[in-house]
Amino acid sequence: MRPREFDHDDVLRIAFDQFWRKGVRGTSLSDIARDAGVQRGSLYNAFGSKEALFLQAYERYAGDYLLALQKVLGAGSLRKRLTAFFDLTITNFRTGSPPRGCPTTRGLMELGAAEGEGLDEEARQAFANLISRITALVQDALSAGAARGEFGGNPAAAALHIITVTRGLAVLERAFGDEPQLRKIAAHTIDLVLDKQGR
Amino acid sequence: MRPREFDHDDVLRIAFDQFWRKGVRGTSLSDIARDAGVQRGSLYNAFGSKEALFLQAYERYAGDYLLALQKVLGAGSLRKRLTAFFDLTITNFRTGSPPRGCPTTRGLMELGAAEGEGLDEEARQAFANLISRITALVQDALSAGAARGEFGGNPAAAALHIITVTRGLAVLERAFGDEPQLRKIAAHTIDLVLDKQGR
DNA sequence: AGAGTATTTGACACGACGTCAAGAAAATGC
DNA sequence: GCATTTTCTTGACGTCGTGTCAAATACTCT
């Protein structure tokens, strides 16, 4: 056995950074190879394909991100939790310059509509999976809030609504790049859901 | 002067159909040329570049789409208008098999985060422009509704919120392809905005 | 030390984008 | 009616990206 000459995790991080900034289709394996100081062929040998490499890098990101969300969604009043949740969400795709956007949303929209086109079904499931798990976290927070009388609606419906808004924010971020506006929408959403419309 | 051997508008329609289904990056000019029965070089001669061709095709689509929206947002009670608006929105990216998704959202997420990457600034403005104009239409409907006592909130904030939800729906459509779920979210959003939370 | 095995490396085939020069076809002027 | 001109068309080219393969390489285990 000959040992790898590069660190698996280093490559994963470097690759995801590129994918995040430029999208999967917009990132070439040559770019990653150059950045990581690895030969292009070695990447194919180690990961099989660009999509497989992306998937591994994405899973890594998804795990980290879920942990961070779990943290902010688990402490404080419901309003505080939701505020922190939106905050982390917006911060997540507003970091970097230019801002990197939301990798999940970008990945989803990069999917080919037809079969075989672009990213494959496995990637779609990875994206859907992260969204589902985030939805579950939000729903848990809402249910906990309901138990404490901080919320009187349907946790499942409200969680879905909140998630939809975060996905929409990811899109508007791309369109306008106007962070204050995103935060306003987030605040408004919290008001709507908590039924204090601030009028 | 030698006349064109193909119809400008035909090509635009054929091209946009492909862009819509497979994204800009996922569509090759060879595909379009084959589909349209035109030589690839002729497309370059007539449009200049893939992005320019996309932009023209997109503007065409945007105009049609705006007209349709204007129609449904201008008649009936506010609730009816919003329902028809969400209906048209969801129908728009659920048509075709497999569903084609939302071209605006896809286009936005295909944009390169950095300069020079992928679609250029002009495309971003075209996307942002359509979103802005749709927002304005929704806001008009809300204002009209407010004048008739059908709505008591802030039209600008509510319109922005609604638009955000539609962008989120476009993303969730990609993730889950679950049309009934999308419609539920839409209905819930209308309830929230009109302040009848259906509890 | 030697054999085995996985990794690295460079070359290859293929397709896509965009450019360019040469050929083709119609409108205009004489 | 014919030549000219102007535009469109056509095919070839260079570059870059993806993915494959066989040969060379370097480590490990016996």
Side-chain angles (χ1 to χ4, degrees):
Chain A
M1 294 268 280
R2 174 177 178 178
R4 288 257 158 78
E5 288 181 3
F6 59 87
D7 184 66
H8 198 263
D9 270 23
D10 281 354
V11 170
L12 245 45
R13 254 172 307 158
I14 291 171
F16 193 68
D17 180 68
Q18 302 241 8
F19 286 137
W20 198 347
R21 282 189 287 119
K22 303 184 291 185
V24 176
R25 282 199 167 117
T27 302
S28 79
L29 276 198
S30 313
D31 292 343
I32 297 172
R34 197 179 319 113
D35 240 53
V38 174
Q39 211 69 15
R40 205 168 53 88
S42 296
L43 294 180
Y44 277 102
N45 177 55
F47 299 98
S49 71
K50 192 160 85 156
E51 275 98 43
L53 168 56
F54 170 75
L55 272 177
Q56 285 196 32
Y58 181 76
E59 294 292 2
R60 191 189 176 63
Y61 155 82
D64 288 359
Y65 189 51
L66 261 180
L67 276 181
L69 285 180
Q70 210 158 4
K71 213 174 219 168
V72 301
L73 273 172
S77 69
L78 178 55
R79 176 165 227 115
K80 272 211 164 72
R81 293 183 197 204
L82 292 181
T83 303
F85 166 72
F86 273 109
D87 223 72
L88 183 53
T89 302
I90 292 176
T91 299
N92 185 47
F93 50 70
R94 284 298 294 175
T95 47
S97 63
R100 291 173 293 196
C102 170
T104 301
T105 305
R106 176 180 230 141
L108 273 170
M109 303 311 290
E110 271 188 318
L111 290 168
E115 57 294 335
E117 286 292 338
L119 301 173
D120 54 357
E121 191 52 31
E122 221 172 333
R124 164 174 280 120
Q125 277 175 10
F127 300 137
N129 198 274
L130 179 58
I131 293 179
S132 295
R133 296 180 69 173
I134 295 176
T135 308
L137 288 182
V138 172
Q139 186 173 336
D140 287 351
L142 288 169
S143 295
R148 280 181 288 161
E150 296 178 283
F151 171 68
N154 176 345
L160 215 43
H161 182 256
I162 288 173
I163 287 304
T164 306
V165 170
T166 64
R167 298 306 89 199
L169 290 177
V171 177
L172 293 192
E173 188 274 325
R174 243 45 222 154
F176 304 111
D178 182 350
E179 184 165 338
Q181 188 188 43
L182 301 183
R183 300 200 176 272
K184 256 188 236 165
I185 297 172
H188 185 240
T189 302
I190 295 176
D191 285 343
L192 274 185
V193 168
L194 295 188
D195 207 9
K196 296 177 182 173
Q197 302 198 25
R199 299 177 187 161
Chain B
M1 295 269 283
R2 175 179 177 177
R4 288 258 159 78
E5 289 182 3
F6 57 88
D7 185 66
H8 199 263
D9 270 22
D10 281 354
V11 170
L12 245 45
R13 253 173 306 148
I14 290 171
F16 192 68
D17 181 68
Q18 301 243 9
F19 287 139
W20 198 345
R21 282 190 287 118
K22 302 184 293 185
V24 177
R25 282 196 166 121
T27 302
S28 79
L29 276 199
S30 314
D31 291 344
I32 297 172
R34 198 179 319 116
D35 241 53
V38 174
Q39 212 70 15
R40 206 167 52 89
S42 296
L43 294 180
Y44 278 101
N45 176 55
F47 299 97
S49 69
K50 191 160 83 158
E51 274 98 42
L53 169 56
F54 171 74
L55 272 178
Q56 285 196 33
Y58 180 76
E59 294 292 1
R60 191 189 176 65
Y61 155 82
D64 289 357
Y65 190 51
L66 261 180
L67 276 182
L69 286 180
Q70 211 158 3
K71 214 174 220 169
V72 303
L73 272 171
S77 69
L78 179 54
R79 174 163 230 117
K80 272 211 166 68
R81 293 183 196 204
L82 292 181
T83 303
F85 166 72
F86 273 109
D87 224 71
L88 184 53
T89 302
I90 293 176
T91 299
N92 186 48
F93 49 70
R94 284 298 294 175
T95 46
S97 63
R100 291 173 293 197
C102 170
T104 302
T105 305
R106 175 180 230 140
L108 274 169
M109 302 312 288
E110 271 189 318
L111 291 168
E115 56 298 333
E117 287 292 340
L119 301 173
D120 55 357
E121 191 54 30
E122 221 172 332
R124 164 175 280 118
Q125 277 175 11
F127 300 136
N129 198 274
L130 179 57
I131 294 180
S132 295
R133 296 180 70 173
I134 295 175
T135 308
L137 288 181
V138 172
Q139 185 172 336
D140 288 350
L142 289 168
S143 296
R148 281 180 288 159
E150 298 179 282
F151 171 67
N154 176 345
L160 215 43
H161 183 255
I162 288 174
I163 287 303
T164 306
V165 170
T166 63
R167 299 304 91 199
L169 290 177
V171 177
L172 293 192
E173 188 274 325
R174 245 42 222 153
F176 303 111
D178 183 351
E179 184 165 339
Q181 189 188 42
L182 301 183
R183 300 201 176 271
K184 254 188 237 166
I185 296 172
H188 185 239
T189 302
I190 295 177
D191 286 342
L192 274 185
V193 168
L194 295 187
D195 207 9
K196 298 177 181 172
Q197 302 198 23
R199 300 178 188 162

